[in-house]
Amino acid sequence: MNDDELLRYSRHILLDEIGIEGQQRIRDAAALVVGAGGLGSPAALYLASAGIGRLTLVDGDDVDLTNLQRQILHSSERIGVNKAASGKVALAALNPQVELLPIGERVGDDELLRLVADADVVLDCSDNFATRHAINRACVAARRPLVSGAAVRFEGQLTVFDLRRPQSSCYACLFPEGDAQDELCAMMGVFAPVTGIIGTMQAAEALKLIAAAGSALEDRLLLLDALAMEIRSVRYGADPHCLVCRRARATAQPLHG
Ligand SMILES: [Zn+2]
């Protein structure tokens, strides 16, 4: 790290749990953020400000006036601009040292697997179950840690699947495919700061995983009730009959890289 970087990240370097070594790991790491909306905005901003080496931001939608209440990567003047491209503008202004790869289209399963395999940590900041399960399948196949967040109304959820570990549970262990209906913000509404709180926590878990600081929020689903401002967590474990992770592990060859 040069003098500028030592200054920029000095408040991280002062932390025993991060230090120069942890900051170097963050600088050498690549993160994939799927969704540049309410969760992806704060998550990407904190990853960039904290000096992540490479940040790939995927979103096929354009910035809409209804997004600006909570999607703090974007601005009034960028209404109509693709969200990944708009996010790149904000992130580059915040920290020009981060390599930014905006992908302004919906990605298919093969492309998603390639993006996941290229990343050291994956943040699911999407807003629908089809995408969540596609991201999970790719993370199981490529054995990449997945930080999963969700927010709707005054409620938020957060958990981590460290799929580098063979015994890790996966998103489908917790929420089997086809079990739940989407509760989209467009229909249900969402309290703006809830997306900020959960997205920021996703960045925290991702940075901890990269820097090997503390312990990850694994096998616990954190539940935020912002109306009462209460946070609790419930334990869960790997489902031995999970169609995604157990079957994949029984049949798959190990991936390299
Ligand atoms: Zn599973």
Side-chain angles (χ1 to χ4, degrees):
M1 271 183 276
N2 60 34
D3 286 353
D4 260 17
E5 290 173 288
L6 291 172
L7 276 176
R8 184 184 279 265
Y9 308 121
S10 55
R11 302 307 189 267
H12 261 177
I13 291 167
L14 282 169
L15 298 170
D16 289 341
E17 293 79 358
I18 297 182
I20 294 243
E21 208 173 278
Q23 188 62 42
Q24 189 67 48
R25 283 201 199 109
I26 293 169
R27 189 187 169 213
D28 293 340
L32 171 66
V33 177
V34 182
L39 300 170
S41 286
L45 283 165
Y46 273 111
L47 290 173
S49 71
I52 193 87
R54 192 178 76 215
L55 201 165
T56 303
L57 186 61
V58 184
D59 203 309
D61 290 341
D62 296 341
V63 179
D64 182 86
L65 181 59
T66 60
N67 301 150
L68 298 181
Q69 163 247 24
R70 64 201 176 283
Q71 301 184 14
I72 57 175
L73 264 180
H74 313 302
S75 65
S76 302
E77 68 210 19
R78 292 201 292 277
I79 288 172
V81 175
N82 168 261
K83 285 188 187 177
S86 167
K88 184 187 176 180
V89 174
L91 298 169
L94 177 58
N95 189 348
Q97 291 170 340
V98 178
E99 183 188 349
L100 297 166
L101 297 175
I103 297 180
E105 57 196 31
R106 281 171 210 282
V107 296
D109 285 352
D110 290 348
E111 174 71 352
L112 186 60
L113 181 58
R114 191 187 66 75
L115 293 172
V116 164
D118 255 2
D120 298 295
V121 64
V122 178
L123 290 81
D124 180 356
C125 299
S126 70
D127 64 354
N128 65 85
F129 285 111
T131 306
R132 291 182 184 285
H133 282 291
I135 295 167
N136 180 60
R137 286 192 299 270
C139 288
V140 168
R143 299 186 180 174
R144 292 295 184 270
L146 170 59
V147 182
S148 178
V152 69
R153 294 181 296 256
F154 289 86
E155 295 146 33
Q157 291 183 354
L158 178 75
T159 193
V160 172
F161 310 99
D162 190 351
L163 294 154
R164 296 172 298 188
R165 294 192 306 112
Q167 67 272 36
S168 169
S169 48
C170 83
Y171 184 79
C173 293
L174 185 57
F175 299 109
E177 276 189 81
D179 262 21
Q181 297 293 312
D182 282 322
E183 291 189 326
L184 296 176
C185 297
M187 292 177 285
M188 312 298 292
V190 62
F191 187 47
V194 170
T195 60
I197 294 166
I198 299 296
T200 300
M201 285 177 156
Q202 288 184 266
E205 287 302 299
L207 291 167
K208 281 167 55 193
L209 283 164
I210 292 165
S215 52
L217 182 65
E218 277 193 279
D219 297 323
R220 276 189 302 138
L221 178 66
L222 185 142
L223 301 165
L224 165 70
D225 170 1
L227 274 181
M229 203 46 88
E230 281 181 348
I231 293 180
R232 65 192 181 94
S233 60
V234 291
R235 293 213 156 263
Y236 63 88
D239 175 359
H241 305 294
C242 176
L243 292 176
V244 178
C245 64
R246 299 300 120 176
R247 185 169 288 178
R249 288 195 178 110
T251 57
Q253 298 298 313
L255 282 185
H256 296 285

